[in-house]
Amino acid sequence: MRDTLTSLRYRYWPDHLLGEILSKRWTETAIPVILLLIVGFALSRSIDHFLSPSSLADTARQAGEIGFIGLGMALVVIVGGIDLSVGSIFALTDFCALYLLDVLNWPVPAVVVATLACGALLGAVNGVLIGYLRLRAFITTLITLIIYRSAFDLLIQRYSNSIAAAFPDIPSWNFIGGGDVFGIPSVALVYIAIAIFGHIFMTRLRPGWHITAIGGSRRSAYNSGIPVRRTIALCYVASGALTSIAALFFAARLGTVGGDIGVGLEVIVLTATVLGGITLGGGKGSVAKSLVGVLIVLLITNGLTTLNARGGINRMALAGILLVAAMVDIRWQKNRTRIISKVYVAPTYHALPPPPATEIGQGGPFEQNDKLRDVELIGLGRIEAPEDVILDRNNNLYAGSRHGDIMRFFAPDYQRMEVFAHIGGQPLGMAFDRQDNLYVCIGGMGLYRIKPDGTVEKATDETNRSMHSVNDDSRLRLADDLDITDDGLIFFSEATVRYEMDEWPIDGLEARGNGRIICYDTKTGATHTALRGLKFPNGICVASDGQSILFAETFGCSIKRLWFAGPKKGQVEVVMDNLPGYPDNINLASDGNYWLALVGMRSPSLDLAWKMPGFRRRMAKRVPVDEWLFPNINTGCVVKFNEQGKILESFWDLRGENHPMITSMREHRGYLYLGGIMNNRIGRYKLDNADPNFVQYDKRWGKAS
Amino acid sequence: MKRLRFNQQEIVFAVFAVLFLAFSIFLRGFLTPENMLTLLQNVAVLGILGLAMAIVVIGRGIDISLIAALAVPPGLVLQMVQNGHSLPASLLTAALLTIAFGLVNGWLIAYAEVPSLFATLATGLLLAGLGQAALFQLDVVQWSDGMKGFERLGQGTILGIPTSIVMFAIACVVVAFLLRQTRWGAYIYAIGDNPYAARVTGIPSRPIIVLQYVVAALIGCFAGLVMAASVNSMPTRVFNSTLIYDVILVVVLGGIGLSGGRGGVLNVIIGTLLIGTMLNGMTIMDISYAGQNLVKGVVLLLAVITDSFLNPRNEETAQQGDI
Amino acid sequence: MVFQENSLVPTMTVAQNLFLGQEKFYNRLRGIYIAAQQFLQSLNFDVTPTATVSGLGAAKKQMVEIARAVLHKAKVIIFDEPTASLTPEEKKYFFDLVRDLKKRGVSIVFISHALEEALLLADRITVLRDGKHVITDDAAKFDRAAIVQAMVGRDLSNTLYGARKASVRPAGARVLTVQNLKMAPMVKNNSLSVFAGQITGVFGLVGAGRTETFKIVSGVLKRDFFHGGEILLHDKPVRYRVPAPAVKAGIAYVTEDRKVEGFFETASIARNIYLGLLSKFPGGRMMLSRRETNSVGKSWSQRLKVRAIGDEAKVVELSGGNQQKVVIAKSLVQEPELIIFDEPTRGVDVGAIVEIHELINQLADEGKAVVVISSYLPEIMALSDRILVSRQGKVVEEFSALEATEEKIMYAAIH
């Protein structure tokens, strides 16, 4: 009963999502977003019509205007500076627009262009001073704030009357000020367009990268050959131009020039920027953060004004919320990675029945023996980690090594050895296609093809991203084993999508179906995921019927069959389950049956732990990694099974001297060649009653003429 | 041979000297004893505030909330006396409020690790809001009879020198003593120079930082009292002005780098004198307020640019996050 | 293009850092992550391409830097102490990589304090001393002793990492006990003890959690809030959230990164040392005393043989060795019982190394508990009476200096 409940709880409650969501970079912005939701909710409850279209449109108009300045501020803060002069630039460009329109009677397009140019120019002054002359941003923009402001004051004294006297009634100008499309105010539309562009700009375009790099480490950026000074200068130009856009909309909306326009605006924008999570000092920030910050500040101030709070209370509330948010956010930023490291490992319930007996004297197909005691050893001490071994038509032997090499041992005595090809990563499963190309699954890299002359080509390193997955699972992390169908489809397994190559044992601890089978079409070059949710899928072998593949689920302790053609296409059925060990590679035997390697044997302790997810979670949180309970992969065996899933024979090395650790085996001309990922050797075992002329290539692709 | 180098302090001093000389020669009525006193009197409050800011900036922080400390506690004194409380009791309350305010600032920055620019921005709003919402009935708190005698703090003369100048001088001496002679001052320089090294060395960084903001707030409050005494009222709307920028300018222009650990009282005095001379000269020339600001800004900009040419920052040694 | 160390941007991802400087105008994010993974794995570097660089350990950062240099096909690559954080195996890969780069026509400058590596790898060796060029010649004409002689100007090969210890100091009273200390993700259930009157060497690769463990002991870092373990000083449990109370209790930590958290660069030597004195013994020193400053500064400068131009010289103007001596003096003036030296001779000239080693030995002879953290095996072997080996966040092995060999220690550090 309790087990059933646990099993249901772990089947339907997605524990793993928490860690995956937290690992997303956008969760850095979580605190401001939550604050925004709280503020929005509180205000909508306490103010009538807060969510009415007109009220929202009004908010959107103001948000758009401040939002533009916020984008500019975000840009200069990310590049590692600050722009205090935005309030004054805002005032000056506002004046510029109205002066050109009302006094000089310029046409609207010219006014727009001229105002933007004016803003860019004012920003350029900052840019030249800070970027090229390398003045300190804080003090420089503080001084330009004063200069621009006094220039504005002087201009106002002369022209405010003539501006106030004019009442331009130009439709396009009015549209800028108060127009909307489907109820969305013009300013918000422009803001959205610029924000989307800005997001792509910052994350994907070269200049955006340069800006982030300079803010993150000016010296590194300089060493990387980035034009530091120009980029910084241009950021201030952009800040000025964005501010002038805000001023344009403002001018068109209100049409007045008061003396206090833009006074203290820099404080509001700076507050919004910092509150959104863009840290002063540079290198961190995004468009979304800027928007969130602006919305929070605006909602709070507008909301409190609507509530008719006294000016003082308004200020206190704003300040209080800002402080609390800042404190929480600082804690969050500090501890986010720590929390991720604590919660990412999310074990699940995984119950297996008691395993079949393997002890001597118990009988049964798995009964231990010492057949592998006298295996011949190839390349002892000269090869490391040959996970898979394969032989070509000329009887040469190939094996991967930990250093990312494919080694070739020459027939007949396999004493001579050479590096056939260097790829990198961890070469795992291998298979020859009809043209003698060697396909290799490279852990950490993907599927690679080696031509007979030794040239390496990438076959695939990417599959389609599944829509419902939080982690981006398009990148191949642990391609494990493969086989090729008659039609040139390559099915290969990917053991886990949640962990990197070197963390694979943790996946065993988690015991969730994180793996998948991927299909690569050699004809079209397309890759797609064929089957998901497998518990560490490993060995793959095209079955004798040519319509299905057999695959091993290592931590599922089972062998399954996936039909890729024929009437049952797409179906999965269990061939064998409750194996006494963890199955690895599967290969053809000369008699039409299949070889299977058990990489390690199950242990009662881990079996028990697999039923206790809470225990494993505590272990992952409190005990250092190298003391965790991991699946045993020290000793295993080779078994032969038939199409129906019946075990026919097993081979052991009980003394554990010659070849106890087995991840793969290949039958070739009466011998069984053994590979093991922890070994420094390849084993060769003489099979009794085996076809002495059996060559896997011929069996699959026919004898060469 | 060692290349001749000037630091910012010397450049600003040179600018000041040139301006002073030029004004003395070309402006009638500039180099008179009365005008000199007026000059100083006009910038005394700014100078005192500059001292408070200097303490914080030397410790690698910044205190935007100084103007709130300038306006609210002294305003409270005036308001309480107006409401019939005794002067000492009112002063004591204001002092407690100031200390509490400084403690909040310090706690946020030292313990909650909120960046000082942001923390003081918010607390300044908070205190100003408190004053507006709960403490004052009018924007300008008027002098009342109970304050009699207290205006001596900002008006009149001592030994022929206007009191506000004397107050600035006293503040200079006290702050100079604190920074140069006491253990606390040495700690502030150490923290500003290298906060991590200060921590590892075993300097009680956090309490020192808290104290730093408390002292700054107290000096700010003192500046407010001097200001209120000299104009016989406390215009609390001063919080909305750009005074804080002038304060930062005085400090930074005088040569106290925002990166901390450098400078002292002398720098504040030089910065104050430069601003004072400029404003005074322009007032004599009868330039409008906005015009004065414009000229002031341009001169400051030239000073900073000159500094950057004489002491260029290079990419290798530029500190990350140093804005 | 010349390639240098510290060219990473901490706020960007590994993939972005790899391609920075030769990125396309439009970068498909998924594309660059996959390309970065392919490239890193082709060099057998296990680094997650989507991770932010600031969150990586020293070794992984090093790998990204190296990968970046290779990817950008730099013509001249300057490696500054590239092997400090690599395991012997990774070091082997790295050396192969360097030889491979050489074959492709890349010029490589390899800056190292590990003479053996220089001899193994270099074609030409240049020795610098005190910022001056001493000698440049073919590597074949050098041996260890010759390099050392060129570095110091006199024959020091015996004093420096010389003869093995004939005897070890016996353990005195137990000063420090650490039990199950934890700080995710660097320190994991770490337990160890330190005794008075002897030098405890802590060996491990960079990233093995040694520095973090002792930073927690001295209050610089905080251990985990839940299940954080225990620290006993003289058998009394202590918990420091900041270093100040640890200093008061007699623990001194001499940092591995003196530029970041070692000294006050605008202050004079004497002022630096005096600040150390002030923070340990503030009582009665409300006012600063110039006389005391000078006398303290002078006596310690003499004792540690700090060489400076004039009394008012700022620490930032000194050579690495003299800076380190000032940092040490700043800690010793606090009369600590437990002194933790973290990489005490990093970036220090050979002459000063000898002096610093003498000083450390002297401290142990005086009966203090001394901890020396180093990732340079000869230094550990030369100094320690007792050797702790740290791996993946905990101490895994302990040796007496008499039984330890370099092979045994290295084996423990990586297996």
Side-chain angles (χ1 to χ4, degrees), chain A residues 194-457:
Chain A
I194 291 187
I196 291 173
F197 171 75
H199 176 70
I200 294 170
F201 177 84
M202 286 311 291
T203 52
R204 288 162 174 83
L205 295 195
R206 176 184 298 154
W209 279 34
H210 285 181
I211 290 168
T212 318
I214 293 170
S217 168
R218 191 178 162 121
R219 199 170 73 152
S220 300
Y222 181 75
N223 287 343
S224 306
I226 292 172
V228 173
R229 297 178 176 201
R230 195 178 72 211
T231 312
I232 293 180
L234 286 177
C235 280
Y236 287 91
V237 174
S239 168
L242 284 163
T243 307
S244 67
I245 296 180
L248 260 179
F249 283 106
F250 182 79
R253 185 160 64 98
L254 297 179
T256 56
V257 278
D260 59 349
I261 283 180
V263 172
L265 190 59
E266 64 278 352
V267 174
I268 297 175
V269 176
L270 197 61
T271 310
T273 306
V274 176
L275 198 65
I278 301 175
T279 29
L280 293 176
K284 276 183 169 176
S286 68
V287 170
K289 288 180 182 180
S290 165
L291 174 62
V292 170
V294 167
L295 283 179
I296 295 176
V297 170
L298 207 68
L299 281 188
I300 295 177
T301 46
N302 279 7
L304 290 170
T305 317
T306 324
L307 283 172
N308 282 330
R310 283 181 63 186
I313 295 184
N314 195 331
R315 276 180 171 165
M316 286 174 72
L318 181 63
I321 293 173
L322 296 186
L323 282 176
V324 172
M327 282 190 293
V328 176
D329 198 36
I330 284 162
R331 294 279 164 282
W332 169 243
Q333 299 297 346
K334 239 182 165 177
N335 292 312
R336 181 171 155 264
T337 42
R338 232 187 233 203
I339 295 171
I340 294 173
S341 75
K342 291 265 183 202
V343 301
Y344 193 81
V345 178
T348 187
Y349 181 80
H350 179 39
L352 290 168
T358 55
E359 285 81 14
I360 295 171
Q362 298 273 347
F366 292 108
E367 183 170 357
Q368 291 166 346
N369 53 51
D370 223 356
K371 290 180 189 168
L372 296 185
R373 188 177 63 186
D374 302 319
V375 293
E376 223 179 296
L377 299 180
I378 298 172
L380 176 65
R382 293 196 291 161
I383 187 163
E384 276 187 84
E387 201 267 350
D388 198 8
V389 290
I390 196 164
L391 293 106
D392 66 9
R393 281 189 281 172
N394 307 319
N395 306 324
N396 297 322
L397 172 67
Y398 299 80
S401 85
R402 200 153 52 90
H403 311 127
D405 296 326
I406 306 296
M407 315 300 287
R408 170 153 68 177
F409 292 88
F410 290 97
D413 56 359
Y414 303 115
Q415 288 302 308
R416 201 152 64 80
M417 176 184 100
E418 67 163 15
V419 177
F420 176 53
H422 175 79
I423 304 174
Q426 165 92 61
L428 300 170
M430 301 190 278
F432 278 109
D433 75 354
R434 202 185 293 269
Q435 288 77 36
D436 289 299
N437 294 319
L438 180 61
Y439 277 91
V440 189
C441 279
I442 307 288
M445 293 178 81
L447 184 63
Y448 275 71
R449 173 172 54 229
I450 308 170
K451 294 193 161 169
D453 63 358
T455 42
V456 176
E457 290 172 348

Side-chain angles (χ1 to χ4, degrees), chain C residues 265-308:
Chain C
E265 60 176 46
T266 57
S268 67
I269 298 171
R271 182 66 173 265
N272 265 281
I273 300 173
Y274 190 56
L275 276 166
L277 184 73
L278 275 182
S279 41
K280 172 76 189 268
F281 306 108
R285 288 193 177 87
M286 262 317 285
M287 300 300 135
L288 303 180
S289 151
R290 187 168 289 267
R291 215 178 50 223
E292 193 179 22
T293 310
N294 288 337
S295 70
V296 166
K298 196 169 252 170
S299 69
W300 280 95
S301 292
Q302 274 166 4
R303 186 172 159 197
L304 268 67
K305 303 194 188 82
V306 179
R307 278 171 284 270

Side-chain angles (χ1 to χ4, degrees), chain C residues 70-106:
Chain C
V70 177
L71 181 76
H72 285 240
K73 301 202 170 52
K75 283 287 120 204
V76 180
I77 305 181
I78 301 169
F79 289 118
D80 191 355
E81 302 279 1
T83 52
S85 49
L86 303 180
T87 64
E89 172 154 344
E90 285 163 343
K91 218 180 270 184
K92 195 179 139 290
Y93 280 136
F94 173 69
F95 285 174
D96 288 346
L97 194 69
V98 169
R99 292 193 186 100
D100 191 46
L101 288 171
K102 190 175 94 182
K103 262 187 249 155
R104 288 193 229 158
V106 179

Side-chain angles (χ1 to χ4, degrees), chain A residues 685-702:
Chain A
Y685 175 70
K686 175 95 180 78
L687 289 170
D688 306 324
N689 322 320
D691 175 4
N693 295 316
F694 175 81
V695 175
Q696 200 178 353
Y697 180 90
D698 298 340
K699 166 97 178 161
R700 289 288 293 117
W701 310 116

Side-chain angles (χ1 to χ4, degrees), chain A residues 68-69 71-73 75-76 79 82-83 85-86 89 93 115-132 141 148 211 229-245:
Chain A
F68 284 116
I69 310 176
L71 287 181
M73 182 68 89
L75 211 55
V76 290
V79 86
I82 194 166
D83 191 351
S85 66
V86 285
I89 295 182
T93 47
T115 309
L116 288 179
C118 173
L121 195 71
L122 293 173
V125 173
N126 286 333
V128 169
L129 292 173
I130 298 163
Y132 286 97
T141 54
Y148 293 167
I211 290 168
R229 297 178 176 201
R230 195 178 72 211
T231 312
I232 293 180
L234 286 177
C235 280
Y236 287 91
V237 174
S239 168
L242 284 163
T243 307
S244 67
I245 296 180

Side-chain angles (χ1 to χ4, degrees), chain A residues 25 28 200 202-210 212-217 219-221 223-226 282-284 334 337-338 341-342 384 402-404 422-426 443-446 448 458 460-465 472 474-477 500-503 621-627, chain C residues 1-13 15-17 19-35 37-39 41-44 46-50 52 54-55 60 68 72 89 92-93 182-185 188-189 222-227 391-392 394 396:
Chain A
R25 283 195 104 180
E28 283 176 6
I200 294 170
M202 286 311 291
T203 52
R204 288 162 174 83
L205 295 195
R206 176 184 298 154
W209 279 34
H210 285 181
T212 318
I214 293 170
S217 168
R219 199 170 73 152
S220 300
N223 287 343
S224 306
I226 292 172
K284 276 183 169 176
K334 239 182 165 177
T337 42
R338 232 187 233 203
S341 75
K342 291 265 183 202
E384 276 187 84
R402 200 153 52 90
H403 311 127
H422 175 79
I423 304 174
Q426 165 92 61
M445 293 178 81
Y448 275 71
K458 182 173 76 187
T460 181
D461 59 6
E462 184 178 348
T463 177
N464 56 318
R465 190 196 193 291
D472 183 354
S474 58
R475 180 164 61 96
L476 297 183
R477 297 176 192 229
E500 300 295 330
M501 173 68 201
D502 52 333
E503 302 164 325
K621 273 187 191 157
R622 293 194 204 159
V623 184
V625 183
D626 38 359
E627 287 168 16
Chain C
M1 180 181 141
V2 178
F3 211 86
Q4 297 185 32
E5 288 291 294
N6 301 323
S7 58
L8 299 183
V9 181
T11 52
M12 297 174 93
T13 61
Q16 283 181 316
N17 266 290
F19 294 109
L20 190 67
Q22 55 167 249
E23 71 280 343
K24 297 199 209 74
F25 186 74
Y26 177 85
N27 302 283
R28 186 173 153 257
L29 287 185
R30 190 177 298 159
I32 63 147
Y33 287 139
I34 291 174
Q37 165 137 0
Q38 298 292 321
F39 184 72
Q41 284 291 336
S42 75
L43 300 173
N44 280 77
D46 282 325
V47 187
T48 315
T50 53
T52 309
S54 59
K60 304 239 159 167
R68 191 173 138 76
H72 285 240
E89 172 154 344
K92 195 179 139 290
Y93 280 136
K182 219 185 301 179
M183 188 192 77
K188 297 154 184 165
N189 290 23
K222 279 190 281 190
R223 62 188 173 198
D224 277 0
F225 193 78
F226 298 108
H227 311 286
R391 167 165 49 88
Q392 292 197 353
K394 60 184 292 187
V396 289

